[in-house]
Amino acid sequence: MAAQYDNTDAFQGASFTMADLSATTFRSCDLRRIKIVDSWLMDVNVSGEIRNFRVNDVDVTAYVEAELDRRHPERARLREMRTADDFRATWETIERLWSETLARAERLPEAARHERVDDEWSLVETLRHLVFATDAWAGRAILDAPDPFHRLGLTHSGYPAEDAAALGIDLDARPAYAEVAQARVGRVALVRGILDGLTDAGLERACTRAPAPGYPAEPRTVGGCLRVVMEEECEHRRYTLRDLATLEAR
């Protein structure tokens, strides 16, 4: 069985020479300032927050971002949002795109909607995470709801299980797709309700409550919190489309 290292800084500043790291997985890791020299990089898949990413001395960051924007124009639209009307229009686009995506998913068997592709979240797990993201950034941070978290939400990787339990979240739940889809319908409506009455001035209102325990204490505005929700929606739909293609091909 392969060794597993969780929540460790034991390798910070380490040097590996002539080491076999094939088939190694790095998930939610801090890989800043990594240097890879004279190594074999074939069949490598990298995803995450990418900046100043150089391959053979060529910075490929701009190319990657431009290609992602070409495939998913909503990403560029999200970055360009300035007014409340911009936010409303972008959310309408996100709702429409997810509706099309879920229509595809619902043509698959129930088991496929629970299947992980390459050990990434299944569709059901992805929707559970989006429920959590909406609860945290919209329900708690923006609306200051006293008990915003749905039992079926799924926290991000690395969030302490005991903190999730304290929020009433059941990480071990194994709900059916229909149950999770219903929870998501309510969260989509929650965001739409916030946007319906939003003004340009309202975007700048300060949110005094952190999205969840453990999040850093820093200034947040309604507009900033909504951006996080929409970024989560856009990026996780991108991952879902990738995995749906694999499931449909089977």
Side-chain angles (χ1 to χ4, degrees):
M1 184 176 181
Q4 183 163 326
Y5 304 94
D6 297 323
N7 300 310
T8 179
D9 60 1
F11 302 107
Q12 189 176 60
S15 177
F16 300 91
T17 303
M18 298 298 290
D20 185 350
L21 300 177
S22 58
T24 299
T25 298
F26 299 91
R27 189 179 302 277
S28 299
C29 294
D30 186 343
L31 299 176
R32 288 173 291 183
R33 299 183 302 280
I34 289 239
K35 184 176 183 180
I36 301 173
V37 180
D38 294 335
S39 297
W40 291 266
L41 287 173
M42 293 167 279
D43 303 318
V44 174
N45 191 335
V46 178
S47 66
E49 186 71 22
I50 297 175
R51 297 180 185 178
N52 192 27
F53 186 21
R54 305 179 73 84
V55 179
N56 284 338
D57 298 321
V58 177
D59 188 342
V60 300
T61 312
Y63 166 76
V64 172
E65 288 298 304
E67 181 61 16
L68 286 174
D69 287 349
R70 185 188 69 79
R71 298 182 186 187
H72 306 282
E74 66 276 10
R75 298 174 78 254
R77 186 171 186 175
L78 192 154
R79 290 197 304 272
E80 295 163 359
M81 294 187 306
R82 296 294 181 271
T83 68
D85 284 340
D86 292 340
F87 277 73
R88 278 186 283 272
T90 301
W91 185 251
E92 288 175 4
T93 298
I94 289 171
E95 281 201 50
R96 174 180 56 79
L97 292 173
W98 263 111
S99 178
E100 295 168 357
T101 302
L102 294 181
R104 284 176 58 184
E106 288 167 6
R107 290 193 287 269
L108 295 171
E110 174 75 7
R113 296 194 284 265
H114 293 266
E115 182 177 343
R116 287 185 164 191
V117 175
D118 198 23
D119 203 32
E120 299 297 329
W121 275 343
S122 68
L123 172 68
V124 168
E125 290 171 314
T126 295
L127 295 180
R128 289 180 63 189
H129 177 68
L130 292 177
V131 166
F132 169 76
T134 304
D135 287 345
W137 292 93
R140 180 173 156 120
I142 295 177
L143 297 179
D144 197 20
D147 186 21
F149 294 99
H150 195 288
R151 176 181 69 88
L152 296 180
L154 184 62
T155 58
H156 53 269
S157 302
Y159 192 77
E162 59 273 17
D163 288 351
L167 297 174
I169 295 173
D170 183 2
L171 296 179
D172 295 324
R174 295 295 179 266
Y177 167 78
E179 189 177 2
V180 175
Q182 186 59 42
R184 174 165 166 76
V185 166
R187 271 46 189 182
V188 169
L190 183 145
V191 175
R192 193 186 313 124
I194 293 172
L195 290 166
D196 281 346
L198 191 64
T199 64
D200 292 350
L203 287 170
E204 301 305 319
R205 176 175 67 82
C207 298
T208 58
R209 200 174 183 202
Y215 279 67
E218 58 188 30
R220 295 181 175 90
T221 63
V222 168
C225 291
L226 286 171
R227 282 183 185 275
V228 174
V229 172
M230 294 187 190
E231 286 169 0
E232 289 281 309
E233 294 279 343
C234 288
E235 293 307 299
H236 283 286
R237 177 178 170 272
R238 178 165 66 84
Y239 306 147
T240 297
L241 290 174
R242 174 199 63 199
D243 296 344
L244 273 179
T246 298
L247 293 169
E248 289 168 336
R250 293 175 184 169

